[in-house]
Amino acid sequence: MGREQWKKILVGSAGNMVEWFDWFVYASFATYFAGSFFPDGNPTAQLMNTAGIFAVGFFMRPVGGWLLGRVGDRKGRKAALTLTVTLMSASAVLIAVAPTYAVAGYGGAVVLLVARLLQGLSVGGEYAASATYLTEASAPEKRGFASSFQYVSMTAGQIVGLGLQIVLQRTMSDDALHSWGWRIPFVVGALGAAIIFWLRRSMLETEVYAESADADATVGGDDKGTMKALWAHKREAFLVIALTMGGTVAYYTYTTYLTKYLSNSAGLSKQTATLVSFCALIVFACLQPLAGALSDRIGRRPLLITFAVGSTFLTVPIMTLLQHAGSFWPALGLSLLALVVVTGYTSINACVKAELFPTGIRALGVALPYAIANALFGGTAEYVALWFKDGGMESGFYWYVAGCAAVSLIVYLTMRETRDIDLHRVRQAEAPVEQPA
C-alpha cells in the first residue's frame, strides 16, 4: 500500500479511536461514577442505572445513522466524519462537567443522559462513515486489511481508556477516583476530539465517491442518501441487521462488559479486572489486520462462519469458566480465547457491509441497519447481563449471547461472498440512465 493509502487509513482510524475512547470510557469508568449521579443503595442497582443510560445512547444511534449517513452520501465521507467528531467532543465536555447527585439531585443524571444521546448520535454516523471511507479508500485487493483498522482504532480507543484507568488507579486513591478522578478521561477525550477535528479538515475524499459525484452531475443524484434509495436495497439492509446481531452482542460482552463481569461476578479486584481487559485488548487489536488480510485471500464468509460457530458453542463454557477464574492468568487466557473467536467478525464486518451497497447509498445503507442492530442487541448487552445477574440467573445471559450468534450463523451460511465486488461498477445501480425514446 502506498503512502497516500496509509495516510487515509491513519486519519480515518485516528478519529475513530477518539470517538470510541469517549464511548467506552463511560462503560469502563461507570463503576467509579455510578454512585455520583444516583442515591446511595444497591451497587448493582446503581450500575443498572448507568448501564441503562449507556443503552439509551445506543437508541440514538439509528437517528445518527440516518442523519449522518445522509450527510455522508450527499455531502461526502469527509463531511460526515468531521461532524461526528464535533458532536463527540461536545458530549465528552458535558460528562466532564456534569454535577453530582449531591449538588443537583437528578439534574446531573439528566446532563449525563443528554451527553449519552449526543454520543449515540455521533457514533451512529461514525461507524458507517469510517467503514465506508476505509473500504473505499483502499485498493480492491486490500479492502479487508484496510477496513480492519476500524476495529483496530475502536479497540485502541478502549485500550487508551483502560490504560488511563490503570494509571489513575495506581496514582490516585479509591476515594479520589470516586469523587472526581473519573472526570479526567472525559477531559482527555474532549481534547483528543479537538485534535482529530483539525486533522480531518485536511483529509482527502475517496476516489469512489468523487467518481460517483461526477456521474450524478450527468444522470442526477436526488435520491442519494435517502430512505427511498435505501428501500430499493432493503434486502441488503435487513442482511446487515441479521449479520450484525451475533457479532455486536459478543463484542460488547467481551469488551465493555468484561471488566465489570470479572469484578462483580468472578471476584477479581477492579485493578486486576482492568489489567486483564487491557492486556487482552492489545492482543485483540493486533489480530485485526492479520484476519482482515486473510479475508482478502480466502474471502469474508469463512471468517464470519468461524466466528459464529465458535461463539455459538464456546460462549457458555468460556463465561462459566471465567466466573471461576480466580486470578489474572486464567482470566486472561479465557478472555483471549473469546476475543480470538470474535475477531472473525470484527476484522471484516465493516467492509462486508460496505460492499453490499452502491456508492450513493453506501453510508446510509451501512449506518442505519447497523445502528438498529446495535440499539437492539449491542447497546442492551450489558443491561441484559446485569438483569440476569440481579435476578439470580446470570448463566441465562451466556445462552442469550450464544443464541444471538446462532441466528447470525444461519445468515453467514446463506449470504453471498462480497470480497470480489467492484465498488466502481456497483454504483451503476444507483441512478439508471434514461434511454432515448
Side-chain angles (χ1 to χ4, degrees), residues 339-353:
L339 289 173
V340 167
V341 172
V342 174
T343 295
Y345 166 80
T346 56
S347 61
I348 57 170
N349 83 96
C351 66
V352 169
K353 293 162 189 171

Side-chain angles (χ1 to χ4, degrees), residues 351-365:
C351 66
V352 169
K353 293 162 189 171
E355 288 166 344
L356 291 173
F357 296 94
T359 306
I361 196 61
R362 185 168 293 129
L364 180 59

Side-chain angles (χ1 to χ4, degrees), residues 222 246 329:
D222 290 342
W329 288 109

Side-chain angles (χ1 to χ4, degrees), residues 148-313:
S148 71
F149 281 88
Q150 181 176 46
Y151 269 82
V152 172
S153 58
M154 287 171 61
T155 306
Q158 190 173 4
I159 290 171
V160 173
L162 287 171
L164 180 57
Q165 186 173 16
I166 291 171
V167 171
L168 293 178
Q169 286 173 338
R170 281 160 171 71
T171 58
M172 299 180 66
S173 67
D174 197 59
D175 288 342
L177 273 173
H178 280 85
S179 177
W180 61 271
W182 59 265
R183 298 182 187 271
I184 294 175
F186 298 103
V187 174
V188 172
L191 294 174
I195 294 172
I196 298 305
F197 175 81
W198 178 78
L199 289 175
R200 282 185 168 176
R201 290 181 62 192
S202 61
M203 71 190 299
L204 301 174
E205 190 57 83
T206 67
E207 292 181 5
V208 173
Y209 181 83
E211 289 180 8
S212 176
D214 290 341
D216 289 335
T218 303
V219 302
D222 290 342
D223 287 342
K224 287 176 60 175
T226 64
M227 294 301 295
K228 176 183 177 182
L230 181 59
W231 186 248
H233 298 276
K234 55 183 177 294
R235 181 181 180 278
E236 289 80 3
F238 284 113
L239 183 61
V240 169
I241 294 175
L243 68 87
T244 300
M245 177 182 177
T248 191
V249 170
Y251 176 73
Y252 281 101
T253 296
Y254 295 119
T255 56
T256 59
Y257 181 60
L258 181 64
T259 304
K260 297 184 187 66
Y261 180 75
L262 292 175
S263 177
N264 294 336
S265 298
L268 273 65
S269 66
K270 290 180 182 179
Q271 291 84 351
T272 301
T274 301
L275 187 60
V276 168
S277 294
F278 180 78
C279 294
L281 287 172
I282 289 177
V283 177
F284 178 66
C286 294
L287 290 174
Q288 304 309 300
L290 299 177
L294 180 62
S295 80
D296 288 326
R297 296 177 63 87
I298 68 173
R300 321 298 188 209
R301 289 179 68 246
L303 271 71
L304 291 172
I305 291 170
T306 300
F307 150 71
V309 170
S311 190
T312 299
F313 294 103

Side-chain angles (χ1 to χ4, degrees), residues 5 61 115 163 248 273 325 338 360:
Q5 293 280 325
R61 288 176 69 163
T248 191

